[in-house]
Amino acid sequence: MNQAVAQGLDGVVAASTRLSLVDGEQGRLVLAGYDVEEIAPRASFEEVCFLFWQGRLPANSELDLLKERLARRRALPPAALGILREAARSRAPVMDAVRMAVSTLSLGREEEPGDDALTAVAAIPCIVGSYWRLLNDREPVPALEELGHAAHFLHQVFGEIPSPEQARGLETYLNTVCDHGFNASTFTARVIVSTQSDIISAVTGAVGALKGPLHGGAPGPALDMVLEIGSPDRADAFITAKLSRGERLMGFGHRVYRVRDPRADILAAAAERFYTTAGDREMYQLARAVESTALRLLAEHKPGRRLDTNVEFYTALLLHGLGLPTELFTPAFAVGRMLGWTAHCLEQLKDGRLIRPQSRYVGEAGLRFVTLDQRSVG
Ligand code: ACO
């Protein structure tokens, strides 16, 4: 009866997976066999989809077929657009609207895991883009089949075909964040399909888990800090004051990584390339200066804590450089992570077992039922 409780399931290994390895001590992330640095900046998002769903990279004809199958599933069912219009009327937060619309993706289709996975990945850029446009009093733009996944997401948001640099910047981001071990939203999705429920139910739950600020919500505040600092010579005083007040620096520290999050460097490089060719170089240099000052001051103020840059710091810089508003940072994360959620669901359905942990009861027992007329208040 007196089992130890693994609070927050910290350190509990709940299943085996071939999808991603997170090594917090070495600062290493492996995506289906490939180090994230090796694959994320080079592969198309569709190649990574094939890798995650089939366990290997595709040949040319296989990739063409997958692109076609995804592109055909982009357009939203009318019910999804109806819900998004209603959500926009009541100014619902973007992640709430995304959750509502994702749940409609099973409408009018036979439930089938492979088709559910394709549909969820293909349609989420349309959900996010359409909702953003409706919130800003613009009509959604039709799905375009000829664009790659990342370019199509930007087209859905802005209504214009992005430059190849913009599409590549976003594609690197989507690949980088597509999976990350048993994070809370992925675990949520696996728990749902472990009951042999369907993938659309699972990814709807996962969107809800990602919404929480402890999971998907930090890049906005990280960007706010850089913008508030404004120039490199103000970084030291600003960060010192923040740390002295006991506040946390957004974009630094991680529960698993005790060294630099490997995703930070990939996104920093993607942001640098992008800011060199299309954006504001000063913004990039400011972020670099803020980062190095923050790392120096964190080491001084929190000695021995091993606090380093996490993925959110450069996510903020990259997505800002792509012109995405901070309200779309977490939804963009969902667009990338949708792939990991669906792949974990397929893996769970194939060889997983019902996920059903136990709880330790700490309430009373043996109480006698007292009828309503004999109960006193308090
Ligand atoms: N800034 C300042 N101090 C920090 C920071 C930070 N960003 N992160 C941790 N610390 C300090 C804590 O104050 C604590 O100090 P103390 O022991 O002197 O009180 C010590 O480091 C350990 O803190 P914990 O909360 O135990 O560290 P944990 O590993 O659980 O926290 C977390 C991880 C929540 C990410 C934390 O580092 C944090 O709040 N970072 C800022 C928010 C952020 O960037 N989140 C995104 C993470 S990436 C992702 O989720 C995709």
Side-chain angles (χ1 to χ4, degrees):
M1 291 301 266
N2 244 346
Q3 309 105 312
V5 177
Q7 290 289 1
L9 299 184
D10 201 356
V12 173
V13 177
S16 302
T17 180
R18 292 179 177 280
L19 297 170
S20 60
L21 163 73
V22 183
D23 183 338
E25 283 301 323
Q26 304 295 321
R28 185 175 187 209
L29 170 61
V30 177
L31 297 175
Y34 297 85
D35 280 298
V36 64
E37 300 82 352
E38 172 76 13
I39 194 160
R42 297 156 92 182
S44 67
F45 184 75
E46 287 87 342
E47 283 177 289
V48 181
C49 287
F50 193 99
L51 173 67
F52 266 58
W53 289 332
Q54 305 296 335
R56 62 176 172 82
L57 287 171
N60 228 333
S61 58
E62 292 172 318
L63 183 60
D64 286 346
L65 184 62
L66 177 65
K67 283 181 179 169
E68 191 194 311
R69 294 176 77 201
L70 280 168
R72 268 194 277 120
R73 287 167 175 80
R74 282 179 177 161
L76 298 181
L81 278 171
I83 282 178
L84 292 177
R85 283 186 198 284
E86 201 52 48
R89 264 194 285 278
S90 58
R91 316 295 301 166
V94 185
M95 285 299 280
D96 287 353
V98 171
R99 178 199 11 96
M100 293 178 226
V102 165
S103 73
T104 67
L105 294 177
S106 51
L107 264 178
R109 294 188 305 109
E110 285 295 309
E111 182 186 299
E112 195 280 313
D115 190 55
D116 284 356
L118 281 162
T119 303
V121 166
I124 190 170
C126 290
I127 291 175
V128 175
S130 298
Y131 188 60
W132 185 246
R133 295 181 69 79
L134 288 167
L135 259 189
N136 290 283
D137 302 319
R138 280 172 291 164
E139 271 304 296
V141 289
L144 288 186
E145 293 196 6
E146 62 270 28
L147 295 179
H149 191 77
H152 185 245
F153 177 32
L154 292 171
H155 182 258
Q156 283 292 304
V157 174
F158 298 116
E160 284 167 16
I161 294 182
S163 69
E165 292 80 18
Q166 288 171 318
R168 182 63 248 176
L170 185 69
E171 193 149 45
T172 297
Y173 168 74
L174 298 177
N175 291 345
T176 301
V177 301
C178 72
D179 197 38
H180 202 240
F182 260 32
N183 58 86
S185 56
T186 300
F187 185 61
T188 303
R190 279 191 84 130
V191 170
I192 292 174
V193 290
S194 84
T195 68
Q196 296 191 352
S197 179
D198 67 291
I199 290 187
I200 299 301
S201 297
V203 298
T204 303
V207 171
L210 185 71
K211 173 192 164 187
L214 293 189
H215 190 2
L223 179 68
D224 291 343
M225 183 177 78
V226 174
L227 292 174
E228 213 181 323
I229 289 174
S231 80
D233 56 312
R234 285 170 32 89
D236 199 310
F238 184 98
I239 294 171
T240 302
K242 219 171 165 51
L243 291 174
S244 307
R245 290 193 299 269
E247 290 176 26
R248 292 186 176 213
L249 305 181
M250 294 297 125
F252 297 88
H254 196 276
R255 174 60 63 83
V256 180
Y257 291 120
R258 293 303 168 200
V259 292
R260 193 176 171 82
D261 184 332
R263 300 170 295 177
D265 283 333
I266 297 167
L267 299 186
E272 181 174 21
R273 263 194 302 278
F274 178 72
Y275 277 84
T276 310
T277 54
D280 171 10
R281 183 82 194 149
E282 268 176 30
M283 177 73 186
Y284 179 79
Q285 277 157 350
L286 171 63
R288 278 291 194 198
V290 168
E291 182 195 17
S292 63
T293 307
L295 291 176
R296 175 170 53 76
L297 293 173
L298 279 170
E300 277 172 27
H301 285 250
K302 299 280 175 189
R305 297 285 185 229
R306 303 173 72 190
L307 298 170
D308 216 317
T309 316
N310 68 40
V311 66
E312 305 290 29
F313 189 78
Y314 284 105
T315 289
L317 195 68
L318 178 58
L319 298 187
H320 176 69
L322 289 170
L324 289 175
T326 46
E327 294 94 324
L328 292 190
F329 286 3
T330 308
F333 190 172
V335 170
R337 189 55 61 86
M338 183 61 86
L339 172 58
W341 293 334
T342 58
H344 274 274
C345 287
L346 292 170
E347 192 176 62
Q348 177 71 34
L349 287 171
K350 197 162 155 229
D351 50 22
R353 198 171 168 225
L354 174 69
I355 299 173
R356 202 308 189 182
Q358 294 183 30
S359 53
R360 185 172 67 181
Y361 179 64
V362 293
E364 293 177 278
L367 299 178
R368 309 296 302 188
F369 183 76
V370 180
T371 55
L372 192 54
D373 58 328
Q374 292 185 328
R375 270 175 241 159
S376 52
V377 178

